[in-house]
Amino acid sequence: MHYFLRALREAAKSWPLLVAAMACSAGVAVLWGANIAALFPIIEVTLRGDSLQSWNDSRVEAAERRLETGRAESAVLEARLTDSGLDPDTAARARRRVQALAAGAEADRAVIAGGRRLAPWLERFVPRDAFRTVLLMVALVVVSTFLKHALLLTSTMLVSWVAMNISRTIRIKIFDKALSLDRAQFMRHGSAGFMAQVTSTSEMLASGITSVYGGAVTEPLKIMACLGCALAVSWRLTLACLLLAPVVGFLMVWLNRRVRAISKSILARSRAFHHVLLEALNNVLTVQAYTMEDFERRRFRACTKDMLRHGMRHAFYHALANPITEILGIGMVATSIAIGAWLVINRETQIFGITITEQPMTVPGIMIFFGFLIGASDPVRKLSGVITGFNVGTVGAQALYPLLDTPSKLVDAAHPRPVASPHREIRLENVSFGYDGADTVLREVSLSIPFGERVAIVGPNGGGKSTLVNVICRFYDPTEGRVLLDDVPLTEIALADLRGRLAIVTQQTELFNESILYNIRYGRWDASEEEIEAAARKAHAHDFIADFPDGYRTMVGPNGFRLSGGQRQRIALARAFLRDAEILVLDEATSQIDVESERLIHEALARYVENRTVIMITHRASTLSLADAIIEVDHGRVTKRPARQQAA
Ligand code: ADP
């Protein structure tokens, strides 16, 4: 739960908006109670065909009369009490009666004082005619209902804004986290995991925050406003009506546990659902080629069915909250009707010997009391939605914050050290590396690559070639040992500085679903169109680009699917050439390019690679011919030798 409290605290940073929203909520609650209270004079007045002024006057007069008779009665009783011959039973009864009269007198004095204070106001603002008074009250109720809804709308908008902003902030944080984690950490969640977090989880959290800030203040305030008025009418009767509250409280606790558990399983299903969806769609070619459509359809149907089942259970428990809280509401009203009716019909003030009211209740009095209870029961029902929202938000926060709190293994240098550009040397000192502490992929590798050297990395599949390059590019930090650029460990160089010196082309080219121009420019955002064309010419991409009707503006499709593998690699090469970096990393970068084009690219490469360090993972003899040195990687063991030995 503390994660959700953290989310609520974060939302509370927008406190001016929330305070404004709560002020609106308080206004709503007051108007809610006031609307019901306004019915009282209407009922009183219409039933008697009286004006409010005369109603008030007669109330005061009646209270004065009661006070007078009460005073006389207590004087007689007190005189009788001084009589020492009085039997104890009669004396006790007389004493109780005197006490009751004193309490009644207290209430009557309050009625008189209130009535006198009210009189000038009624005189000034309320018409003397009974029907006009009713019209005035009705108009007031209508206006206050409008006002109430304006306040409610404002409060809802303010809270929604805060919640949506929170959800946006959280999405931004998840996105930032996905970009900053090292590759192994990223792969632990995968695209599907991040997708689920960005969509479902942050949605759950936002809805939780909206519920809490939107309803956790309004609804209790409404309840308090109505119960406060009901207490003023008769506090004992109000308490009697709340007898059911503990049972409903217990049921709500049970329900909350269920809702929380189901929300958790829904979240797990949402992750599985994103996983199945993305896997099938990202590998749709394989799915179709191996006629696995039915298999994938079944998987997708199974996981959506699972989601549906859990969604239905969630809906059931969510809906169950309503009847449970309504039982409290109806229970309250039923109890009050039973007790109130008994008191009114029998003109009693006590039930089972317990005093419920000081004065016998009038029909309008009891009706207005029912009104307050009904007014309290509706927000009680809505409060159940708030509680469910709280639970959903708690589950969302529990899934999100641990991810946001995961520190990235790639920590950027706090005080980055400068390195000359171009650098002099890349050096690995006793570097060992293993994924997740399992099998060591690189073992105590020590080697040096001076600036301007062209090295080819060769070795069997799975030997660790890509891993070696990834460590040099600091996609991973070594488990042991260190990588240095001009004697400065990579961990002490700003990541942006290091990556700014790198241009990388991998075997699986990653292209954006944008134009060719956009994709090449991704290497250097400020490049002019002429520079982009020059880079494309070097990568022997210009000719095929010019053949497209839209030329450089041709859209490449998701992950460049409208282009052939070789074309994609050439665009990736152009992107790297445009970057004009000190270190060029080519990971099987020409593997899909035809022999003739590759020969031409190598000519361009031979010119381009001068005056920069080039690290090439390759099997091709033609690429090897560009190399000054060969690094052989074989299951963790790394050896470096001059290239002419290879030729020999
Ligand atoms: P090469 O490039 O020489 O074919 P790699 O460097 O890609 O080899 O892989 C070396 C070893 O590391 C392989 O056994 C591979 O299974 C393992 N490996 C590669 N990437 C990961 C990863 N992200 N998580 C776990 N193991 C990995």
Side-chain angles (χ1 to χ4, degrees):
M1 193 196 291
H2 75 277
Y3 285 122
F4 188 53
L5 295 181
R6 200 168 125 190
L8 290 177
R9 269 203 304 278
E10 279 178 23
K13 282 185 193 145
S14 315
W15 64 268
L17 295 177
L18 289 174
V19 168
M22 283 176 198
C24 292
S25 303
V28 170
V30 168
L31 290 173
W32 179 265
N35 268 359
I36 296 169
L39 293 172
F40 182 57
I42 293 177
I43 293 168
E44 281 269 343
V45 167
T46 47
L47 285 185
R48 291 197 203 164
D50 226 350
S51 74
L52 270 189
Q53 285 85 348
S54 56
W55 163 76
N56 189 44
D57 290 346
S58 56
R59 232 169 43 114
V60 171
E61 275 164 27
E64 279 170 346
R65 265 199 309 278
R66 274 198 307 273
L67 207 58
E68 206 46 56
T69 50
R71 217 176 277 143
E73 194 185 338
S74 1
V76 172
L77 287 171
E78 268 164 21
R80 214 187 295 162
L81 279 170
T82 51
D83 180 358
S84 51
L86 207 65
D87 78 278
D89 262 6
T90 321
R93 224 177 304 131
R95 240 175 257 121
R96 272 205 304 278
R97 179 66 186 149
V98 168
Q99 274 169 5
L101 284 171
E106 193 63 42
D108 283 334
R109 266 194 290 275
V111 169
I112 295 165
R116 288 203 178 129
R117 265 199 306 273
L118 192 63
W121 292 92
L122 290 177
E123 213 51 65
R124 213 159 139 195
F125 296 110
V126 181
R128 278 220 160 252
D129 178 64
F131 185 62
R132 281 206 189 161
T133 310
V134 173
L135 288 186
L136 176 73
M137 290 303 153
V138 169
L140 280 180
V141 168
V142 171
V143 169
S144 86
T145 305
F146 267 110
L147 190 62
K148 188 183 84 185
H149 281 285
L151 289 174
L152 196 60
L153 184 71
T154 316
S155 146
T156 309
M157 291 311 288
L158 287 171
V159 172
S160 301
W161 195 88
V162 172
M164 282 183 196
N165 230 8
I166 283 279
S167 147
R168 175 171 176 259
T169 313
I170 284 175
R171 283 182 177 149
I172 291 172
K173 280 189 187 164
I174 300 168
F175 190 71
D176 288 350
K177 185 54 78 177
L179 294 186
S180 70
L181 289 179
D182 83 2
R183 285 187 183 188
Q185 287 178 307
F186 178 86
M187 289 319 293
R188 216 163 294 139
H189 301 275
S191 313
F194 280 102
M195 253 326 234
Q197 297 275 22
V198 166
T199 52
S200 328
T201 322
S202 39
E203 205 59 60
M204 282 169 88
L205 188 59
S207 85
I209 293 171
T210 319
S211 298
V212 170
Y213 281 119
V217 178
T218 331
E219 304 311 330
L221 275 179
K222 278 193 208 161
I223 297 170
M224 273 152 58
C226 288
L227 284 188
C229 294
L231 282 168
V233 175
S234 166
W235 65 269
R236 290 185 187 96
L237 188 53
T238 314
L239 288 188
C241 296
L242 289 174
L243 281 175
L244 265 182
V247 181
V248 174
F250 173 78
L251 284 175
M252 285 308 288
V253 170
W254 167 79
L255 195 67
N256 282 332
R257 293 223 176 101
R258 299 296 315 147
V259 168
R260 213 176 288 181
I262 291 168
S263 299
K264 257 186 215 163
S265 55
I266 285 189
L267 206 57
R269 258 94 207 150
S270 155
R271 258 180 245 129
F273 160 78
H274 278 96
H275 175 75
V276 172
L277 180 71
L278 289 183
E279 289 277 281
L281 297 188
N282 286 341
N283 302 316
V284 70
L285 194 77
T286 313
V287 173
Q288 288 172 344
Y290 289 85
T291 55
M292 293 298 275
E293 291 94 333
D294 276 345
F295 174 77
E296 292 299 340
R297 272 192 203 113
R298 271 199 303 278
R299 247 167 41 119
F300 194 69
R301 275 166 179 64
C303 75
T304 45
K305 190 172 168 190
D306 210 23
M307 271 180 85
L308 179 79
R309 224 183 48 237
H310 281 79
M312 284 308 295
R313 283 176 63 193
H314 187 265
F316 172 70
Y317 284 108
H318 193 73
L320 208 56
N322 263 343
I324 289 180
T325 40
E326 207 154 317
I327 287 170
L328 173 64
I330 290 297
M332 275 193 326
V333 175
T335 321
S336 78
I337 289 178
I339 301 177
W342 194 85
L343 292 177
V344 170
I345 292 167
N346 298 308
R347 301 213 43 80
E348 277 283 353
T349 56
Q350 290 191 342
I351 194 163
F352 303 129
I354 304 164
T355 307
I356 301 290
T357 52
E358 302 301 345
Q359 307 295 340
M361 290 191 95
T362 59
V363 173
I366 197 76
M367 282 180 77
I368 209 68
F369 183 79
F370 296 159
F372 285 128
L373 290 188
I374 292 167
S377 64
D378 183 63
V380 164
R381 188 178 54 77
K382 287 195 184 133
L383 197 60
S384 68
V386 174
I387 297 169
T388 323
F390 183 89
N391 286 310
V392 171
T394 306
V395 172
Q398 268 168 355
L400 264 178
Y401 280 98
L403 168 70
L404 293 184
D405 291 344
T406 312
S408 173
K409 283 191 187 161
L410 285 180
V411 186
D412 207 356
H415 305 286
R417 288 169 59 184
V419 175
S421 188
H423 64 280
R424 291 188 316 276
E425 176 202 37
I426 301 170
R427 199 167 73 246
L428 279 77
E429 286 181 355
N430 294 319
V431 168
S432 294
F433 181 81
Y435 293 96
D436 293 330
D439 257 345
T440 309
V441 181
L442 299 175
R443 285 195 204 94
E444 294 180 6
V445 178
S446 294
L447 61 88
S448 160
I449 306 172
F451 177 73
E453 191 171 54
R454 288 164 288 184
V455 291
I457 303 181
V458 296
N461 287 341
K465 302 185 290 296
S466 298
T467 307
L468 178 66
V469 166
N470 283 336
V471 168
I472 292 174
C473 298
R474 208 182 164 212
F475 288 120
Y476 298 105
D477 281 329
T479 329
E480 277 169 48
R482 49 190 196 155
V483 185
L484 305 116
L485 196 67
D486 285 3
D487 301 326
V488 181
L490 294 191
T491 46
E492 291 176 26
I493 302 174
L495 258 178
D497 177 12
L498 173 70
R499 300 264 165 84
R501 297 162 189 264
L502 291 164
I504 303 166
V505 186
T506 53
Q507 195 171 3
Q508 282 96 23
T509 46
E510 289 178 349
L511 295 187
F512 298 90
N513 185 12
E514 294 283 349
S515 66
I516 291 178
L517 195 74
Y518 178 101
N519 272 292
I520 300 179
R521 187 171 267 159
Y522 213 79
R524 219 183 77 219
W525 213 242
D526 59 353
S528 67
E529 293 202 9
E530 290 72 37
E531 287 174 300
I532 291 170
E533 190 182 317
R537 281 184 192 280
K538 265 189 224 161
H540 284 269
H542 176 77
D543 289 346
F544 84 80
I545 296 171
D547 282 346
F548 288 129
D550 293 332
Y552 282 84
R553 314 262 163 213
T554 306
M555 299 297 286
V556 301
N559 218 3
F561 89 97
R562 291 205 191 124
L563 305 177
S564 75
Q567 286 172 334
R568 265 179 263 172
Q569 280 194 332
R570 282 190 255 188
I571 288 178
L573 271 172
R575 180 196 285 168
F577 288 162
L578 183 70
R579 192 163 172 89
D580 199 19
E582 302 172 24
I583 306 165
L584 177 65
V585 178
L586 304 174
D587 186 348
E588 304 269 13
T590 53
S591 57
Q592 297 178 42
I593 296 174
D594 60 84
V595 179
E596 175 56 15
S597 302
E598 197 194 17
R599 193 184 59 75
L600 296 170
I601 289 172
H602 277 143
E603 279 175 25
L605 211 52
R607 266 178 277 127
Y608 177 81
V609 297
E610 267 167 27
N611 228 1
R612 67 190 81 229
T613 303
V614 183
I615 302 169
M616 307 172 275
I617 298 180
T618 188
H619 291 295
R620 300 244 176 140
S622 53
T623 316
L624 282 177
S625 65
L626 290 171
D628 305 318
I630 310 280
I631 294 176
E632 186 147 1
V633 183
D634 190 357
H635 296 101
R637 296 276 160 221
V638 176
T639 47
K640 184 178 174 189
R641 56 190 156 77
R644 54 193 149 68
Q645 280 187 19
Q646 167 82 15

